[in-house]
Amino acid sequence: MKKIVILISGRGSNMEALLKAQLPCKIAAVISNKADATGLAIAQQYGITTAAISHKDFASREDFDAALAQQIDRFQPDFVVLAGFMRILTAGFVNHYAGRLINIHPSLLPAYTGVHTHERALADGVRIHGCTVHFVTAELDHGPIIVQAAVPVLPGDTVQSLSARVLQQEHQIFPQAIRWLCSKKLWLADDGRVTSSHAAPISTALISPALD
Ligand code: GRF
């Protein structure tokens, strides 16, 4: 059975969605860069091994990433899953886990890389927004895309209402992506493209606002 390690920084709702999903893999550990992350307490309630390693205890990003990798590698994971891990990772770290590092991002990449995605989508007046699960490469929020979910942006939406609508979809697509990976139904091919037998039904379309 495949093994995964989950990295978090805060609330941990995506991590909890993974823990609840009864995935075909062993969740070996949840590691946070913040000792007070609420997600750590949730993981402990599920009986998962947890660890905290503060980036503030290291002089450089490289030193922190090396220490983090050492913690992760104790568990020999097949995949390292970033579930709201709010640190930019060094190229050395990303390369060490090439093809094994997965992230969830709250936008339809390649739109809105980085932070404040919902604010920026609202400011631009887009009618469709969403979330993306992707492999991590050295370029921030740019790796090969595994799965995306789109939601309508509604009149009167606030950052809070829009982020809640997107988060609901994050909790659907993230466990699905890890399930596909762990059951070898989806993989990163040698040409750097995501390969899978799954496709959206050809009749599926989200039109926002709706047609009359
Ligand atoms: C999510 O919106 C995720 O997409 C982003 O950070 C947020 C983490 O939320 N990377 P949670 O900790 O999973 O609740």
Side-chain angles (χ1 to χ4, degrees), residues 1-209:
M1 190 182 256
K2 300 279 186 202
K3 264 196 279 181
I4 68 170
V5 165
I6 303 175
L7 304 189
I8 63 167
S9 294
R11 171 176 71 170
S13 74
N14 275 289
M15 172 212 73
E16 189 168 14
L18 295 171
L19 300 187
K20 276 187 178 158
Q22 304 203 315
L23 297 170
C25 62
K26 178 176 168 52
I27 299 176
V30 171
I31 301 175
S32 173
N33 64 313
K34 290 190 177 169
D36 60 354
T38 33
L40 282 182
I42 298 171
Q44 283 157 12
Q45 284 163 18
Y46 282 80
I48 307 287
T49 301
T50 62
I53 172 167
S54 174
H55 55 278
K56 293 184 181 155
D57 293 342
F58 297 87
S60 68
R61 259 183 212 284
E62 284 73 16
D63 288 351
F64 170 67
D65 280 8
L68 178 61
Q70 208 171 29
Q71 284 271 351
I72 294 169
D73 289 347
R74 290 196 296 136
F75 300 100
Q76 300 189 306
D78 297 282
F79 297 105
V80 177
V81 179
L82 307 178
F85 186 67
M86 303 306 283
R87 297 287 305 167
I88 292 177
L89 296 161
T90 56
F93 183 95
V94 171
N95 291 336
H96 179 66
Y97 297 106
R100 300 194 288 143
L101 192 56
I102 324 296
N103 183 44
I104 182 139
H105 183 77
S107 80
L108 289 172
L109 292 175
Y112 307 118
T113 60
V115 293
H116 306 308
T117 57
H118 308 306
E119 286 91 328
R120 288 154 60 207
L122 285 172
D124 283 346
V126 298
R127 300 296 197 166
I128 294 176
H129 185 47
C131 48
T132 303
V133 180
H134 66 101
F135 285 101
V136 176
T137 54
E139 193 180 352
L140 183 69
D141 299 329
H142 266 89
I145 291 172
I146 296 171
V147 58
Q148 297 183 297
V151 302
V153 179
L154 302 179
D157 255 340
T158 59
V159 168
Q160 208 178 16
S161 63
L162 181 57
S163 64
R165 191 173 310 118
V166 172
L167 192 65
Q168 224 177 3
Q169 296 309 313
E170 294 185 35
H171 296 166
Q172 301 295 316
I173 65 170
F174 209 15
Q176 176 69 84
I178 305 305
R179 185 181 297 280
W180 280 332
L181 285 165
C182 288
S183 53
K184 297 186 187 163
K185 290 192 172 148
L186 179 148
W187 62 93
L188 189 61
D190 291 340
D191 62 1
R193 298 188 82 88
V194 174
T195 307
S196 137
S197 52
H198 284 75
I202 199 158
S203 58
T204 301
L206 172 61
I207 300 178
S208 172

